[in-house]
Amino acid sequence: MIALDRVITFLVLAFPVVLLSVKPLAIMIFILIAIIGVFVSIKDRKNPFAIESIKLFSWLTMGYFFVMSLSVLLSTEPTNSWVHLSRVSYFLLAPFVALAIIQSNISIEALVKSFKLGIVIAGAISLIGFIMADGSGRFSGMYNPNTFGDLAVMMLFFSILNIHNE
């Protein structure tokens, strides 16, 4: 079990670093963490919807996915289709990701440092994109600019969690 904790810790700390810089690797890490969470759920008979510390998170992520599903189902827009749900399919795996994270002993300080490194890398991607494109174009690497901006702001907020203690 100690080896599994080390793998989870490595994956969770690597995820914010590659999230905005290497999209395919971030997706693979997310899926690996989710698989570990499913493994822990089955092996240890732990339900992410029953564990007090992640119960609300698990229900909220599932609720969000099902609201988005209802939105697609009840939509009369001709361009709306079930394919659009793939954009929010990550919410189905989020309870198992949370289970994998709480199963390991990751310190909040290490996680915040990982987010800080990730936000510095995201800033470098934007700055290099701006310089190379001579100030015009998109500066979001592999991401849609809106998604990149949303993730960067979320990571920035997370990275300033311990700012008063540093």
Side-chain angles (χ1 to χ4, degrees):
M1 196 62 167
I2 292 174
L4 185 61
D5 286 347
R6 288 184 181 158
V7 169
I8 296 170
T9 301
F10 172 77
L11 291 173
V12 170
L13 293 178
F15 184 69
V17 174
V18 300
L19 179 60
L20 290 176
S21 56
V22 188
K23 186 178 179 180
L25 188 56
I27 292 169
M28 286 190 292
I29 289 175
F30 182 85
I31 291 171
L32 284 173
I33 295 171
I35 289 169
I36 291 170
V38 169
F39 173 75
V40 167
S41 177
I42 293 168
K43 181 179 167 283
D44 297 341
R45 298 179 192 257
K46 292 186 176 181
N47 181 354
F49 298 95
I51 298 171
E52 198 61 40
S53 60
I54 60 171
K55 183 192 312 188
L56 180 61
F57 173 80
S58 298
W59 285 111
L60 285 173
T61 57
M62 283 293 129
Y64 180 76
F65 180 80
F66 287 115
V67 165
M68 294 304 290
S69 299
L70 280 174
S71 173
V72 170
L73 178 67
L74 302 174
S75 175
T76 59
E77 293 289 320
T79 59
N80 207 359
S81 73
W82 292 102
V83 175
H84 296 293
L85 280 181
S86 65
R87 296 178 188 156
V88 294
S89 62
Y90 301 103
F91 285 90
L92 286 174
L93 299 175
F96 297 105
V97 170
L99 180 61
I101 292 171
I102 67 161
Q103 187 68 21
S104 67
N105 294 323
I106 299 173
S107 72
I108 191 70
E109 292 83 15
L111 194 55
V112 169
K113 286 178 185 175
S114 179
F115 271 95
K116 286 181 182 188
L117 180 57
I119 204 70
V120 167
I121 291 170
I125 289 170
S126 294
L127 186 60
I128 290 168
F130 179 78
I131 291 168
M132 291 179 71
D134 200 25
S136 63
R138 28 178 285 179
F139 318 118
S140 56
M142 298 179 181
Y143 282 91
N144 168 300
N146 292 339
T147 304
F148 183 86
D150 292 344
L151 287 172
V153 168
M154 182 271 313
M155 289 176 66
L156 181 65
F157 286 156
F158 195 87
S159 70
I160 60 174
L161 278 178
N162 267 352
I163 200 159
H164 295 295
N165 296 334
E166 293 180 347

